[in-house]
Amino acid sequence: MQVKVLGYFSKTKGVKGELILKTDELFEIDEVKAFFTENSGSMAPHFIEKIEENNTSITVKLDGVNSVEAAKSFVGKR
């Protein structure tokens, strides 16, 4: 398994816990199965429920993140 920094979650989108991923890295979204974020010095996996690329951004819905409040805790994380 390869882990690398792809970008950061810049803001929430909608009311169902979706996040906008900002990245400068090129990658195949179909190959990404999870995002890892640092939490208290360790890396925690967050599995992807849905990921979509459009003209200006990448929208990510993580498993178990079902509200704006829950999504806000990921904003700014790499």
Side-chain angles (χ1 to χ4, degrees):
M1 173 175 64
Q2 181 181 3
V3 177
K4 68 179 185 175
V5 176
L6 295 177
Y8 68 98
F9 294 113
S10 65
K11 61 182 178 179
T12 62
K13 178 183 177 184
V15 296
K16 297 180 181 178
E18 295 177 321
L19 293 151
I20 300 296
L21 178 68
K22 293 290 183 182
T23 181
D24 292 329
E25 292 285 324
L26 295 177
F27 67 97
E28 294 292 328
I29 63 171
D30 295 339
E31 293 179 6
V32 179
K33 304 297 181 217
F35 287 100
F36 288 79
T37 58
E38 190 171 347
N39 190 13
S40 301
S42 63
M43 299 299 282
H46 305 282
F47 294 97
I48 298 169
E49 186 175 309
K50 180 175 82 171
I51 185 168
E52 296 177 335
E53 185 175 18
N54 60 42
N55 293 337
T56 59
S57 64
I58 298 171
T59 303
V60 178
K61 172 74 173 74
L62 300 174
D63 254 355
V65 179
N66 299 312
S67 68
V68 174
E69 293 77 22
K72 283 181 181 178
S73 68
F74 289 91
V75 172
K77 290 196 176 188
R78 299 189 156 276

